[in-house]
Amino acid sequence: MLPDLSQFTVHREVAEPDLDGTVLPGLHATFHRRAAGSRIESVGVYRYAGVAVFMAWGYVDEPHCRFTAYAGPDGWGAPRRGCPSVDAVRDQLATLGPVPSPH
C-alpha cells in the first residue's frame, strides 16, 4: 500500500537529489514526514519536469528505503522492497524526454 501523503507534512524540498551517489539533473524531490510512535516516517516524492517519477519511503532512522513505487501512465505501480534503482529511474526519465547528463 502506498503512503497517504495527506497524513504527512512537507519537511523539505531538494533540487537534483543524490540517488546512491548519482545526481540526475532535473530531478526534484519533496520529502514528507509524520510521527509514528517514537519513530518518524518519511516519504520522498520525486518529479522530473513536474511529472511524478517515483516515491520512496521508510523511517528516518534507517539507512535505506523500505519501499519504492514507480509512477506509470496508469498511475502508481505496486510498492517494491528497497530503494529505487538508478537505472530504472534513468529509463523512466528517458520516456519523459531528453535526460541531461549526470554531473
Side-chain angles (χ1 to χ4, degrees):
M1 175 179 270
L2 298 174
D4 177 358
L5 293 178
S6 72
Q7 302 296 310
F8 290 76
T9 58
V10 174
H11 172 67
R12 66 186 173 113
E13 294 191 32
V14 177
E16 300 185 356
D18 181 301
L19 298 180
D20 246 357
T22 300
V23 173
L24 299 173
L27 196 62
H28 182 270
T30 304
F31 296 97
H32 308 258
R33 288 187 175 182
R34 75 173 179 179
S38 63
R39 300 177 82 189
I40 298 173
E41 290 179 298
S42 177
V43 180
V45 179
Y46 296 76
R47 291 180 171 79
Y48 182 80
V51 176
V53 177
F54 70 94
M55 70 169 68
W57 64 96
Y59 293 92
V60 297
D61 61 342
E62 295 177 337
H64 297 287
C65 315
R66 282 191 173 219
F67 296 98
T68 298
Y70 297 95
D74 299 323
W76 291 102
R80 302 174 186 195
R81 288 199 170 278
C83 294
S85 157
V86 173
D87 290 336
V89 173
R90 273 196 187 113
D91 290 347
Q92 195 168 6
L93 294 181
T95 68
L96 298 174
V99 179
S101 301
H103 293 156

